Amino acid sequence: KKKIQTISDSDWEDFDWRQKTFNVHKTTQTIPLIYDKDFRENNLTHWKHYDITKTFLNKLENKFKKIISDGFIVRAILVKLKANTNILPHTDNLKTLDNNNRFHIPIITNKKVLFTVGDEVKNLKEGEIWEINNGQKSHSVINDSNKDRVHLIVDWIKYDHYIIKDNFFYNP
């Protein structure tokens, strides 16, 4: 959390492709860590802020190998949802998401941030790891507070292209 808080406002503004490409994310800002605009699964691009999360992502990768299966992190981004804004209900329709598990890890949040998947509404606490089934159910976020919310979003791909379970929220 302390390392994420050192990221400057100008760095948060540098990468605007995601919010310009996907209208539903217009109220967010993104710091790419491991990310490619073509959503490839090999020859991955590690961005400049990857180094501040490298140790954590390596530990997370080792944990996922133990509890999910052999695989690797195919995408990792930090996403800031600005204070008093929301992400409207939507389903992620990218075909590449069929081959991986998506995890949200709240880094900076509070009680007034609510995440909805299908009919389930939850306040995800800092440091928890939540698997989100974002390709089959509509999901949205409301930040009804005066503080920005930051999540680390990680896509895990099994070497055998694991398909997401039917559950919507899963806390390993």
Side-chain angles (χ1 to χ4, degrees), residues 69-143:
S69 79
D70 203 16
F72 60 97
I73 294 173
V74 70
R75 273 175 296 284
I77 56 176
L78 293 167
V79 177
K80 180 190 286 186
L81 177 60
K82 303 296 269 171
N84 296 302
T85 63
N86 59 49
I87 298 173
L88 296 173
H90 68 285
T91 303
D92 297 332
N93 294 319
L94 296 171
K95 187 67 178 156
T96 185
L97 295 176
D98 292 343
N99 295 332
N100 60 65
N101 301 72
R102 171 147 297 170
F103 295 91
H104 278 250
I105 303 166
I107 306 296
I108 300 168
T109 193
N110 63 71
K111 291 186 249 181
K112 292 185 174 185
V113 177
L114 297 177
F115 201 119
T116 301
V117 177
D119 295 331
E120 293 183 68
V121 180
K122 296 194 183 292
N123 171 252
L124 310 183
K125 310 274 187 291
E126 288 183 7
E128 294 179 339
I129 301 172
W130 289 93
E131 182 176 2
I132 306 296
N133 190 339
N134 58 313
Q136 295 179 3
K137 287 286 182 176
S138 179
H139 56 284
S140 60
V141 186
I142 295 172
N143 183 355

XYZ file of all heavy atoms in Angstrom, residues 69-143:
599
model
N -3.274 -23.850 -9.766
C -2.558 -24.802 -10.624
C -1.310 -24.131 -11.157
O -1.100 -22.936 -10.974
C -3.423 -25.258 -11.803
O -3.429 -24.266 -12.799
N -0.524 -24.891 -11.871
C 0.655 -24.325 -12.502
C 0.200 -23.340 -13.576
O -0.698 -23.631 -14.362
C 1.498 -25.448 -13.114
C 2.946 -25.050 -13.279
O 3.367 -24.053 -12.655
O 3.657 -25.712 -14.043
N 0.796 -22.166 -13.590
C 0.427 -21.143 -14.548
C 1.251 -19.897 -14.314
O 2.326 -19.957 -13.714
N 0.722 -18.747 -14.754
C 1.467 -17.502 -14.603
C 0.511 -16.316 -14.667
O -0.629 -16.431 -15.129
C 2.551 -17.370 -15.669
C 2.029 -17.381 -17.086
C 1.804 -16.198 -17.764
C 1.766 -18.580 -17.731
C 1.316 -16.201 -19.065
C 1.278 -18.606 -19.032
C 1.060 -17.403 -19.701
N 1.000 -15.176 -14.197
C 0.234 -13.935 -14.280
C 0.366 -13.409 -15.702
O 1.459 -13.116 -16.166
C 0.731 -12.901 -13.249
C 0.451 -13.415 -11.838
C 0.071 -11.541 -13.493
C 1.058 -12.563 -10.738
N -0.757 -13.312 -16.388
C -0.756 -12.866 -17.776
C -1.032 -11.363 -17.885
O -0.629 -10.729 -18.851
C -1.743 -13.699 -18.619
C -3.177 -13.401 -18.260
C -1.516 -13.518 -20.105
N -1.696 -10.802 -16.877
C -1.953 -9.365 -16.814
C -1.994 -8.932 -15.356
O -2.506 -9.663 -14.508
C -3.293 -8.992 -17.463
C -3.238 -8.734 -18.943
C -4.617 -8.496 -19.536
N -5.486 -9.662 -19.426
C -5.376 -10.744 -20.198
N -4.451 -10.810 -21.117
N -6.204 -11.755 -20.051
N -1.494 -7.740 -15.079
C -1.597 -7.136 -13.747
C -1.652 -5.626 -13.925
O -0.793 -5.043 -14.596
C -0.412 -7.523 -12.872
N -2.692 -5.019 -13.371
C -2.841 -3.571 -13.464
C -3.322 -3.034 -12.120
O -3.998 -3.734 -11.359
C -3.844 -3.146 -14.573
C -5.215 -3.802 -14.378
C -3.289 -3.444 -15.952
C -6.281 -3.347 -15.369
N -2.956 -1.819 -11.833
C -3.523 -1.085 -10.715
C -4.619 -0.203 -11.295
O -4.401 0.470 -12.308
C -2.465 -0.220 -10.039
C -1.357 -0.975 -9.318
C -0.208 -0.028 -8.975
C -1.898 -1.652 -8.075
N -5.787 -0.227 -10.667
C -6.902 0.575 -11.166
C -7.433 1.447 -10.035
O -7.813 0.943 -8.975
C -8.027 -0.306 -11.741
C -9.210 0.559 -12.182
C -7.514 -1.138 -12.902
N -7.427 2.739 -10.309
C -7.963 3.711 -9.350
C -9.354 4.117 -9.801
O -9.555 4.540 -10.945
C -7.062 4.942 -9.294
C -7.544 6.008 -8.309
C -6.768 7.308 -8.444
C -5.385 7.185 -7.880
N -4.667 8.502 -7.873
N -10.312 3.963 -8.903
C -11.656 4.480 -9.133
C -11.748 5.761 -8.319
O -11.611 5.751 -7.093
C -12.725 3.478 -8.691
C -14.175 3.949 -8.816
C -14.532 4.284 -10.271
C -15.120 2.889 -8.253
N -11.943 6.857 -9.017
C -11.946 8.166 -8.376
C -13.056 8.273 -7.326
O -14.081 7.584 -7.402
C -12.117 9.258 -9.425
C -11.057 9.253 -10.517
C -9.685 9.543 -10.008
C -9.430 11.024 -10.075
N -8.213 11.444 -9.427
N -12.852 9.156 -6.367
C -13.825 9.408 -5.310
C -15.165 9.826 -5.910
O -15.213 10.520 -6.930
C -13.306 10.499 -4.379
N -16.239 9.372 -5.279
C -17.609 9.736 -5.660
C -17.925 9.459 -7.121
O -18.609 10.244 -7.782
C -17.883 11.205 -5.318
C -17.824 11.431 -3.824
O -18.558 10.794 -3.065
N -16.935 12.312 -3.395
N -17.407 8.350 -7.639
C -17.729 7.924 -9.008
C -18.106 6.455 -8.975
O -18.089 5.812 -7.926
C -16.537 8.118 -9.973
O -15.447 7.293 -9.549
C -16.093 9.578 -10.031
N -18.452 5.932 -10.141
C -18.799 4.512 -10.209
C -18.392 3.927 -11.550
O -18.063 4.651 -12.485
C -20.296 4.304 -9.947
C -21.166 5.044 -10.936
O -20.965 4.956 -12.139
N -22.138 5.786 -10.445
N -18.410 2.625 -11.587
C -18.242 1.876 -12.830
C -19.590 1.231 -13.087
O -20.082 0.453 -12.268
C -17.129 0.811 -12.706
C -15.782 1.472 -12.411
C -17.065 -0.041 -13.976
C -14.659 0.494 -12.101
N -20.201 1.590 -14.198
C -21.544 1.115 -14.508
C -21.557 -0.397 -14.744
O -20.534 -0.991 -15.120
C -22.079 1.842 -15.736
C -22.281 3.356 -15.561
C -22.660 3.995 -16.884
C -23.331 3.639 -14.495
N -22.717 -1.038 -14.549
C -22.813 -2.485 -14.781
C -22.403 -2.847 -16.202
O -22.797 -2.185 -17.163
C -24.303 -2.775 -14.553
C -24.785 -1.664 -13.678
C -23.980 -0.465 -14.090
N -21.590 -3.901 -16.297
C -21.121 -4.372 -17.601
C -20.598 -5.800 -17.456
O -20.341 -6.270 -16.361
C -20.021 -3.456 -18.152
C -18.750 -3.514 -17.363
N -18.610 -2.904 -16.135
C -17.565 -4.123 -17.618
C -17.405 -3.123 -15.667
N -16.735 -3.875 -16.546
N -20.441 -6.445 -18.582
C -19.802 -7.761 -18.654
C -18.605 -7.618 -19.567
O -18.690 -6.997 -20.620
C -20.784 -8.811 -19.224
O -21.947 -8.819 -18.400
C -20.173 -10.190 -19.236
N -17.475 -8.177 -19.141
C -16.274 -8.115 -19.971
C -16.381 -9.182 -21.049
O -16.492 -10.364 -20.749
C -15.023 -8.328 -19.117
C -14.852 -7.222 -18.084
O -15.309 -6.098 -18.344
O -14.267 -7.492 -17.031
N -16.351 -8.753 -22.302
C -16.598 -9.661 -23.422
C -15.348 -10.035 -24.203
O -15.438 -10.482 -25.332
C -17.628 -9.038 -24.376
C -18.986 -8.919 -23.729
O -19.424 -9.825 -23.034
N -19.646 -7.798 -23.939
N -14.182 -9.847 -23.619
C -12.959 -10.206 -24.322
C -12.763 -11.717 -24.301
O -12.779 -12.337 -23.239
C -11.756 -9.514 -23.681
C -11.769 -7.994 -23.754
C -10.656 -7.411 -22.910
C -11.636 -7.535 -25.195
N -12.590 -12.317 -25.444
C -12.431 -13.765 -25.560
C -11.268 -14.283 -24.719
O -11.338 -15.349 -24.134
C -12.246 -14.150 -27.037
C -12.243 -15.628 -27.283
C -13.606 -16.227 -27.009
C -13.593 -17.710 -27.321
N -14.614 -18.425 -26.578
N -10.207 -13.500 -24.625
C -9.033 -13.925 -23.870
C -9.346 -14.176 -22.395
O -8.689 -14.963 -21.746
C -7.879 -12.913 -24.022
O -6.729 -13.433 -23.373
C -8.222 -11.578 -23.412
N -10.370 -13.516 -21.867
C -10.715 -13.695 -20.463
C -11.314 -15.068 -20.183
O -11.379 -15.502 -19.036
C -11.668 -12.589 -20.008
C -11.060 -11.185 -20.035
C -12.103 -10.144 -19.675
C -9.855 -11.084 -19.130
N -11.743 -15.783 -21.224
C -12.253 -17.147 -21.043
C -11.167 -18.096 -20.569
O -11.452 -19.142 -20.015
C -12.845 -17.691 -22.354
C -14.117 -16.975 -22.761
O -14.725 -16.296 -21.907
O -14.491 -17.098 -23.945
N -9.913 -17.749 -20.812
C -8.802 -18.643 -20.502
C -8.124 -18.337 -19.177
O -7.110 -18.947 -18.860
C -7.741 -18.569 -21.610
C -8.256 -19.086 -22.922
O -9.135 -19.930 -22.958
N -7.715 -18.575 -24.004
N -8.632 -17.376 -18.407
C -7.942 -17.055 -17.172
C -8.894 -16.741 -16.039
O -10.091 -16.600 -16.238
C -6.944 -15.907 -17.396
C -7.597 -14.647 -17.883
O -8.375 -14.047 -17.171
N -7.293 -14.236 -19.093
N -8.322 -16.682 -14.858
C -9.046 -16.300 -13.657
C -8.698 -14.849 -13.358
O -7.535 -14.475 -13.418
C -8.610 -17.146 -12.461
C -8.838 -18.616 -12.683
O -8.143 -19.235 -13.467
N -9.791 -19.178 -11.995
N -9.692 -14.055 -13.013
C -9.459 -12.652 -12.685
C -9.599 -12.472 -11.185
O -10.576 -12.885 -10.577
C -10.445 -11.746 -13.407
C -10.336 -10.316 -12.890
C -10.598 -9.257 -13.888
N -9.647 -9.266 -14.977
C -9.809 -8.529 -16.075
N -10.863 -7.756 -16.200
N -8.916 -8.568 -17.035
N -8.592 -11.824 -10.611
C -8.582 -11.561 -9.181
C -8.495 -10.065 -8.924
O -7.765 -9.355 -9.608
C -7.385 -12.253 -8.514
C -7.467 -13.745 -8.583
C -6.896 -14.437 -9.641
C -8.146 -14.459 -7.602
C -6.985 -15.815 -9.725
C -8.237 -15.840 -7.683
C -7.649 -16.521 -8.737
N -9.265 -9.620 -7.947
C -9.199 -8.242 -7.465
C -8.601 -8.277 -6.069
O -9.051 -9.045 -5.213
C -10.597 -7.609 -7.394
C -11.079 -7.079 -8.695
N -11.203 -5.733 -8.932
C -11.465 -7.695 -9.825
C -11.663 -5.549 -10.172
N -11.831 -6.729 -10.731
N -7.609 -7.423 -5.852
C -6.987 -7.292 -4.543
C -7.095 -5.822 -4.150
O -6.390 -4.973 -4.705
C -5.518 -7.752 -4.574
C -5.435 -9.195 -5.061
C -4.873 -7.575 -3.193
C -4.060 -9.654 -5.441
N -8.009 -5.507 -3.240
C -8.139 -4.115 -2.807
C -6.872 -3.653 -2.082
O -6.418 -4.296 -1.138
C -9.335 -4.139 -1.853
C -10.083 -5.397 -2.208
C -9.033 -6.364 -2.653
N -6.307 -2.563 -2.552
C -5.105 -1.988 -1.950
C -5.481 -0.785 -1.083
O -5.022 -0.651 0.041
C -4.088 -1.544 -3.033
C -3.763 -2.694 -3.994
C -2.827 -0.969 -2.398
C -3.069 -3.873 -3.380
N -6.318 0.076 -1.629
C -6.813 1.246 -0.904
C -8.318 1.281 -1.105
O -8.798 1.365 -2.242
C -6.172 2.550 -1.439
C -4.656 2.502 -1.285
C -6.772 3.774 -0.726
C -3.913 3.605 -2.033
N -9.067 1.193 -0.036
C -10.523 1.183 -0.134
C -11.122 1.607 1.204
O -10.399 1.921 2.147
C -11.046 -0.200 -0.594
O -12.416 -0.079 -0.971
C -10.851 -1.269 0.452
N -12.438 1.595 1.272
C -13.129 1.916 2.519
C -14.539 1.326 2.471
O -14.931 0.721 1.472
C -13.146 3.439 2.746
C -13.915 4.173 1.677
O -15.139 4.092 1.607
N -13.197 4.893 0.807
N -15.271 1.511 3.561
C -16.601 0.898 3.701
C -17.629 1.406 2.688
O -18.644 0.764 2.467
C -17.148 1.138 5.107
C -16.420 0.384 6.186
C -17.126 0.563 7.506
C -16.249 1.403 8.394
N -16.821 1.637 9.718
N -17.370 2.548 2.078
C -18.344 3.137 1.153
C -18.096 2.731 -0.301
O -18.679 3.309 -1.203
C -18.343 4.653 1.288
C -18.889 5.121 2.624
C -18.988 6.620 2.657
C -19.661 7.084 3.927
N -19.866 8.535 3.918
N -17.229 1.745 -0.505
C -16.995 1.215 -1.849
C -17.663 -0.148 -1.929
O -17.337 -1.056 -1.159
C -15.483 1.095 -2.166
C -15.287 0.481 -3.547
C -14.802 2.450 -2.073
N -18.610 -0.286 -2.856
C -19.358 -1.535 -2.997
C -19.155 -2.113 -4.390
O -19.318 -1.419 -5.396
C -20.845 -1.294 -2.737
C -21.196 -0.813 -1.329
C -22.685 -0.536 -1.216
C -20.749 -1.822 -0.274
N -18.823 -3.394 -4.431
C -18.571 -4.131 -5.671
C -19.738 -5.090 -5.854
O -20.079 -5.824 -4.936
C -17.252 -4.900 -5.537
C -16.617 -5.282 -6.848
C -15.360 -4.813 -7.164
C -17.249 -6.130 -7.738
C -14.743 -5.176 -8.356
C -16.649 -6.487 -8.928
C -15.396 -6.010 -9.236
N -20.334 -5.073 -7.024
C -21.476 -5.948 -7.315
C -21.124 -6.877 -8.467
O -20.582 -6.436 -9.486
C -22.718 -5.115 -7.702
O -23.035 -4.233 -6.622
C -23.912 -5.998 -8.001
N -21.431 -8.159 -8.299
C -21.347 -9.144 -9.376
C -22.672 -9.894 -9.364
O -23.041 -10.501 -8.352
C -20.170 -10.133 -9.192
C -20.184 -11.183 -10.299
C -18.830 -9.406 -9.184
N -23.409 -9.817 -10.472
C -24.740 -10.416 -10.491
C -25.598 -9.738 -9.437
O -25.716 -8.514 -9.419
N -26.158 -10.533 -8.528
C -26.980 -9.992 -7.444
C -26.213 -9.843 -6.137
O -26.783 -9.427 -5.132
C -28.191 -10.908 -7.209
C -29.137 -10.930 -8.394
O -29.208 -9.917 -9.107
O -29.793 -11.965 -8.612
N -24.935 -10.198 -6.128
C -24.135 -10.121 -4.907
C -23.470 -8.757 -4.794
O -22.844 -8.280 -5.738
C -23.044 -11.186 -4.894
C -23.552 -12.600 -4.788
C -22.394 -13.584 -4.719
O -21.676 -13.578 -3.694
O -22.216 -14.338 -5.682
N -23.581 -8.150 -3.616
C -22.944 -6.868 -3.333
C -22.022 -7.064 -2.135
O -22.442 -7.588 -1.110
C -23.992 -5.772 -3.015
C -23.314 -4.445 -2.711
C -24.989 -5.632 -4.151
N -20.769 -6.645 -2.297
C -19.801 -6.818 -1.225
C -18.915 -5.589 -1.097
O -18.636 -4.909 -2.070
C -18.908 -8.030 -1.482
C -19.675 -9.350 -1.482
C -18.742 -10.517 -1.398
C -19.478 -11.827 -1.465
N -20.307 -12.124 -0.344
N -18.479 -5.367 0.131
C -17.422 -4.404 0.397
C -16.145 -5.229 0.530
O -15.988 -5.981 1.482
C -17.700 -3.615 1.685
C -16.523 -2.770 2.092
O -15.840 -3.069 3.072
N -16.275 -1.715 1.346
N -15.273 -5.126 -0.468
C -14.034 -5.894 -0.466
C -13.012 -5.152 0.387
O -12.728 -3.982 0.140
C -13.523 -6.081 -1.898
C -14.536 -6.597 -2.930
C -13.864 -6.801 -4.283
C -15.207 -7.872 -2.457
N -12.454 -5.836 1.369
C -11.533 -5.221 2.324
C -10.097 -5.217 1.802
O -9.698 -6.089 1.032
C -11.567 -5.976 3.657
C -12.962 -6.200 4.215
C -13.446 -5.051 5.025
C -14.752 -5.303 5.728
N -15.918 -5.418 4.908
N -9.319 -4.248 2.257
C -7.917 -4.149 1.862
C -7.182 -5.453 2.162
O -7.330 -6.018 3.246
C -7.231 -2.993 2.592
C -7.659 -1.644 2.087
C -6.935 -0.488 2.764
O -5.998 -0.714 3.548
O -7.329 0.664 2.495
N -6.410 -5.908 1.169
C -5.578 -7.089 1.344
C -6.255 -8.408 1.044
O -5.588 -9.436 0.952
N -7.580 -8.412 0.893
C -8.269 -9.646 0.524
C -8.010 -9.946 -0.946
O -7.706 -9.047 -1.737
C -9.779 -9.515 0.766
C -10.156 -9.372 2.215
C -11.655 -9.220 2.421
O -12.377 -8.824 1.478
O -12.110 -9.488 3.539
N -8.163 -11.207 -1.307
C -8.019 -11.627 -2.705
C -9.358 -12.207 -3.125
O -9.829 -13.185 -2.534
C -6.909 -12.680 -2.879
C -5.562 -12.127 -2.408
C -6.832 -13.142 -4.337
C -4.453 -13.165 -2.369
N -9.967 -11.612 -4.140
C -11.277 -12.050 -4.609
C -11.206 -12.448 -6.075
O -10.739 -11.677 -6.909
C -12.309 -10.924 -4.455
C -12.663 -10.679 -3.025
C -12.081 -9.775 -2.173
C -13.662 -11.349 -2.277
N -12.666 -9.848 -0.945
C -13.647 -10.804 -0.973
C -14.574 -12.360 -2.575
C -14.514 -11.232 0.028
C -15.439 -12.786 -1.582
C -15.395 -12.223 -0.302
N -11.705 -13.646 -6.369
C -11.839 -14.050 -7.762
C -13.175 -13.523 -8.256
O -14.205 -13.725 -7.610
C -11.788 -15.573 -7.907
C -11.882 -15.996 -9.359
C -11.738 -17.500 -9.551
O -11.594 -18.226 -8.556
O -11.793 -17.926 -10.708
N -13.152 -12.835 -9.375
C -14.354 -12.225 -9.938
C -14.652 -12.887 -11.275
O -13.811 -12.920 -12.168
C -14.157 -10.697 -10.162
C -13.693 -10.004 -8.875
C -15.418 -10.066 -10.725
C -14.669 -10.050 -7.744
N -15.848 -13.414 -11.412
C -16.272 -14.006 -12.671
C -16.864 -12.889 -13.522
O -18.061 -12.679 -13.566
C -17.296 -15.116 -12.413
C -17.589 -15.915 -13.655
O -17.349 -15.453 -14.767
N -18.114 -17.100 -13.477
N -16.001 -12.164 -14.176
C -16.391 -10.946 -14.881
C -16.890 -11.166 -16.302
O -17.384 -10.255 -16.927
C -15.220 -9.977 -14.912
C -14.012 -10.587 -15.582
O -13.640 -11.721 -15.290
N -13.393 -9.857 -16.465
N -16.778 -12.380 -16.808
C -17.184 -12.637 -18.178
C -18.573 -13.201 -18.309
O -19.142 -13.210 -19.402
N -19.146 -13.686 -17.204
C -20.467 -14.314 -17.287
C -21.557 -13.532 -16.578
O -22.725 -13.694 -16.866
C -20.407 -15.732 -16.714
C -19.521 -16.644 -17.529
C -19.452 -18.043 -16.939
O -20.101 -18.353 -15.956
N -18.661 -18.886 -17.557
N -21.180 -12.698 -15.646
C -22.161 -11.911 -14.908
C -21.807 -10.430 -14.989
O -20.640 -10.052 -15.019
C -22.191 -12.318 -13.428
C -22.831 -13.658 -13.169
C -24.323 -13.548 -13.310
C -24.990 -14.871 -12.999
N -26.431 -14.765 -13.036
N -22.827 -9.621 -14.996
C -22.631 -8.183 -14.967
C -22.000 -7.798 -13.633
O -22.306 -8.375 -12.597
C -23.976 -7.488 -15.140
O -23.826 -6.096 -15.085
N -21.093 -6.833 -13.682
C -20.467 -6.348 -12.458
C -20.340 -4.828 -12.519
O -20.339 -4.236 -13.600
C -19.116 -7.022 -12.206
C -18.147 -6.891 -13.330
N -18.233 -7.619 -14.490
C -17.060 -6.096 -13.473
C -17.239 -7.304 -15.293
N -16.514 -6.377 -14.709
N -20.254 -4.224 -11.345
C -20.170 -2.777 -11.235
C -19.544 -2.408 -9.894
O -19.422 -3.256 -9.012
C -21.566 -2.145 -11.352
O -22.400 -2.633 -10.308
N -19.166 -1.144 -9.771
C -18.579 -0.652 -8.530
C -19.120 0.743 -8.253
O -19.224 1.566 -9.158
C -17.032 -0.583 -8.607
C -16.451 -0.202 -7.244
C -16.431 -1.884 -9.102
N -19.435 0.992 -6.994
C -19.841 2.322 -6.552
C -18.845 2.773 -5.493
O -18.629 2.081 -4.500
C -21.261 2.309 -5.949
C -22.293 1.940 -7.018
C -21.588 3.661 -5.313
C -23.685 1.721 -6.479
N -18.222 3.919 -5.741
C -17.350 4.536 -4.740
C -18.094 5.752 -4.212
O -18.038 6.832 -4.785
C -16.005 4.945 -5.345
C -15.068 5.520 -4.299
O -15.439 5.696 -3.144
N -13.848 5.821 -4.711
